[in-house]
Amino acid sequence: MSTSILIVSYNTRELSLRCIGSLPAEAEVIVFDNASSDGSVAAIRSSFPAVRIIESPANLGFSVGVNRSASLATGDKLLILNPDTELPPGTLARMEAALDGSDPRVWAMGFRQVDANGFFQLAVGPRPTLVAELLRRWIQRRLNNRNRLVARLIDRWLSRRRRVSWVAGSALLVRRDAFDRVEGFDERFFLYFEDIDFCLRMGAAGGRVEYEPGVTLVHHRGASARQAEGPARRAYRQSQLYFFQKHRSALARRLVALYQRAGRATT
């Protein structure tokens, strides 16, 4: 059984090179570059000639990049991987073994993520509601501020493999037939929430998503978003509204819109 690795990049040349360099040389790697202006394509092509690169003429977003990369992939599993991640030696094999050895009803799996200093990162969550989203944002702010108590408590709570509503698309391993069954990512999500939507749709189709903390990778979180912070914030708000429109009630959508307006008024 083989895995195709799909990477969507945008102005992350050095991180992309480190990411690809951490992958097994024999792995099928497909990079969809969203019109980077930092020489990413040339650098990847020079350093890793076996990598297949799709050069987009414009920034089409994460979901489009994943879907177009998947259309060229030959593996029976797809590892959707952010360009700001790194896999320690042997990690891909452990990922594959975890999914291959699981119940066939487990369609996708996510893994424990830490930053370069080993600090825990949140890469899993419950089905979003307005309350759950507020709680997740509260937790994420504490982790961004390197609150070690919060990190330890959540890491300990997630210390065993479990079924979850969603795992982060920064490192998401999915069976190819499951990806095709739900028709990949919803391309109306430009950036953010597309991974949550994808996992929820797999659950609705009869599959399961699990979080495996026994496999750890490094994630330099938010590198692509930092290249264009203003557009990234706008994309987050747009995706958040679309997600609640798609998955929650009209009341919840209106409350999210009010929450977003209040947040913009205070920043």
Side-chain angles (χ1 to χ4, degrees), residues 122 124-126 128 131-141 166 193 196 221 236 240:
L122 190 63
V124 59
V131 172
E133 178 66 3
L134 291 172
L135 177 60
R136 187 190 66 81
R137 293 293 299 276
W138 183 90
I139 292 171
Q140 189 60 64
R141 290 190 187 100
W166 61 269
F193 287 90
I196 304 177
R221 181 175 174 270
Y236 183 93
Q240 186 181 48

Side-chain angles (χ1 to χ4, degrees), residues 99 105-110 123-125 161-168 172-174 195-196 198-204 206-212:
L99 185 59
R105 291 172 293 181
V106 177
W107 289 2
M109 190 169 286
V124 59
R161 184 190 292 192
R162 63 178 64 202
R163 184 177 182 177
V164 295
S165 293
W166 61 269
V167 293
L172 192 161
L173 183 63
V174 59
D195 45 4
I196 304 177
F198 177 71
C199 290
L200 293 184
R201 287 189 288 113
M202 281 194 291
R208 291 184 355 212
V209 178
E210 290 191 352
Y211 173 75
E212 173 51 80

Side-chain angles (χ1 to χ4, degrees), residues 9-60:
S9 66
Y10 177 66
N11 286 338
T12 52
R13 181 183 59 192
E14 298 307 318
L15 288 169
S16 294
L17 293 173
R18 288 167 59 180
C19 174
I20 297 169
S22 74
L23 304 176
E26 68 276 10
E28 179 180 63
V29 180
I30 302 172
V31 174
F32 183 93
D33 186 79
N34 263 317
S36 294
S37 58
D38 66 348
S40 289
V41 169
I44 294 170
R45 187 166 284 140
S46 174
S47 298
F48 303 101
V51 170
R52 188 164 189 174
I53 303 175
I54 305 170
E55 294 184 67
S56 174
N59 188 347
L60 301 179

Side-chain angles (χ1 to χ4, degrees), residues 36-251:
S36 294
S37 58
D38 66 348
S40 289
V41 169
I44 294 170
R45 187 166 284 140
S46 174
S47 298
F48 303 101
V51 170
R52 188 164 189 174
I53 303 175
I54 305 170
E55 294 184 67
S56 174
N59 188 347
L60 301 179
F62 185 75
S63 296
V64 171
V66 169
N67 289 345
R68 295 195 183 177
S69 299
S71 70
L72 302 178
T74 63
D76 56 17
K77 294 183 291 295
L78 305 175
L79 176 59
I80 300 164
L81 197 62
N82 272 16
D84 56 357
T85 59
E86 294 180 64
L87 302 191
T91 300
L92 179 60
R94 290 193 292 273
M95 289 176 167
E96 293 173 322
L99 185 59
D100 290 342
S102 64
D103 189 303
R105 291 172 293 181
V106 177
W107 289 2
M109 190 169 286
F111 308 94
R112 183 173 179 268
Q113 299 185 19
V114 299
D115 68 11
N117 297 312
F119 189 80
F120 173 80
Q121 295 192 348
L122 190 63
V124 59
R127 184 182 182 91
T129 63
L130 184 57
V131 172
E133 178 66 3
L134 291 172
L135 177 60
R136 187 190 66 81
R137 293 293 299 276
W138 183 90
I139 292 171
Q140 189 60 64
R141 290 190 187 100
R142 268 75 193 161
L143 294 177
N144 290 346
N145 291 329
R146 306 191 70 77
N147 186 310
R148 296 190 178 278
L149 176 60
V150 170
R152 282 198 301 269
L153 288 174
I154 298 176
D155 198 14
R156 184 174 300 174
W157 180 60
L158 293 170
S159 60
R160 293 185 179 181
R161 184 190 292 192
R162 63 178 64 202
R163 184 177 182 177
V164 295
S165 293
W166 61 269
V167 293
S170 48
L172 192 161
L173 183 63
V174 59
R175 301 184 194 274
R176 175 59 187 262
D177 56 356
F179 184 92
D180 292 340
R181 183 168 180 173
V182 299
E183 299 181 335
F185 279 26
D186 183 342
E187 295 183 3
R188 287 169 289 185
F189 290 101
F190 181 83
L191 185 65
Y192 301 114
F193 287 90
E194 68 287 307
D195 45 4
I196 304 177
D197 169 76
F198 177 71
C199 290
L200 293 184
R201 287 189 288 113
M202 281 194 291
R208 291 184 355 212
V209 178
E210 290 191 352
Y211 173 75
E212 173 51 80
V215 179
T216 300
L217 66 141
V218 177
H219 183 202
H220 307 282
R221 181 175 174 270
S224 292
R226 285 194 293 272
Q227 306 307 312
E229 292 185 356
R233 284 194 296 270
R234 288 192 294 274
Y236 183 93
R237 290 193 293 266
Q238 291 166 356
S239 291
Q240 186 181 48
L241 276 175
Y242 174 55
F243 177 88
F244 275 80
Q245 176 184 356
K246 185 175 181 180
H247 291 280
R248 309 302 302 180
S249 67
L251 174 61

